[in-house]
Amino acid sequence: MLLRIDHVGIACHNLSEKIEFYESVFGLTVVSREINEEQGVREAMLHVADGDQGASYVQLLEPLHPDTAVGKFLAKRGEGVHHVGYGVTDITKALEEISAKGVRLVDERPRHGSMGASIAFLHPKDIGGVLTELVETSRR
Ligand code: MC0
């Protein structure tokens, strides 16, 4: 069901500073910067590698407001890994299959994600404390 690790989402207080850090330390390149109002984030995708099943990225996330998923995460836990995003072929089918196994879905239906992808989150409490995201895209 899972094709690859699409991205690792990392929560930070200052997006520009964190981009500079990843560029200078790892030599990564920003391929997309977006504001996603629905998710309450300002985010950047930095390309890591290409594979048979698509590319993988580091996603840096800065909250738009304190009262957002990433804002609350930062207040509670500080900066660090916020979620793991896995590539899937058919997100609707994957959600049905995962839900049937008793895992709570944060999103019953796909939402708009970075770089035009369809995304959906699974509840961290049912996945060993890891907020998990499914990502379907034809372009990566
Ligand atoms: C919260 N919890 C987490 C967590 N966020 N555990 C692991 N990883 C995380 N990122 C835990 C808390 O510690 C708490 O556990 C419990 O979940 C409830 O958290 P809460 O702070 O009370 O917050 P809730 O319940 O209001 O919301 C948690 C939930 C929410 C996961 C449902 O954050 C959510 O809907 N997330 C999905 C959307 C999202 O994260 N969007 C931002 C990235 P305790 O034990 O203390 O009770 S958007 C994105 O990345 C897009 C742009 C993309 O990829 O394209």
Side-chain angles (χ1 to χ4, degrees):
M1 180 193 294
L2 305 181
L3 299 174
R4 67 186 185 284
I5 292 178
D6 182 90
H7 66 270
V8 176
I10 296 172
C12 64
H13 291 292
N14 186 311
L15 184 63
S16 300
E17 278 179 22
K18 207 56 81 183
I19 287 172
E20 268 184 47
F21 177 86
Y22 274 81
E23 284 175 339
S24 68
V25 174
F26 299 114
L28 297 185
T29 305
V30 175
V31 292
S32 160
R33 275 183 88 142
E34 292 178 38
I35 289 176
N36 187 322
E37 296 277 355
E38 184 185 32
Q39 297 291 345
V41 292
R42 180 178 287 115
E43 53 96 3
M45 295 290 264
L46 292 87
H47 179 258
V48 176
D50 290 311
D52 291 348
Q53 302 294 338
S56 61
Y57 304 86
V58 168
Q59 181 184 54
L60 301 176
L61 300 156
E62 179 191 301
L64 293 177
H65 315 284
D67 191 20
T68 56
V70 176
K72 288 201 280 181
F73 178 92
L74 280 172
K76 216 174 205 175
R77 303 185 184 207
E79 293 190 319
V81 174
H82 178 261
H83 67 266
V84 178
Y86 295 101
V88 294
T89 312
D90 182 338
I91 194 166
T92 304
K93 188 160 168 266
L95 284 171
E96 274 172 25
E97 289 176 13
I98 291 166
S99 174
K101 289 180 181 159
V103 172
R104 268 173 296 166
L105 310 179
V106 173
D107 300 305
E108 301 274 342
R109 287 185 202 81
R111 293 170 183 263
H112 167 70
S114 183
M115 299 198 288
S118 293
I119 61 166
F121 285 92
L122 313 176
H123 206 287
K125 289 290 172 195
D126 287 353
I127 316 205
V130 180
L131 178 60
T132 301
E133 179 185 343
L134 305 180
V135 181
E136 179 188 326
T137 174
S138 51
R139 292 202 300 110
R140 287 179 188 174

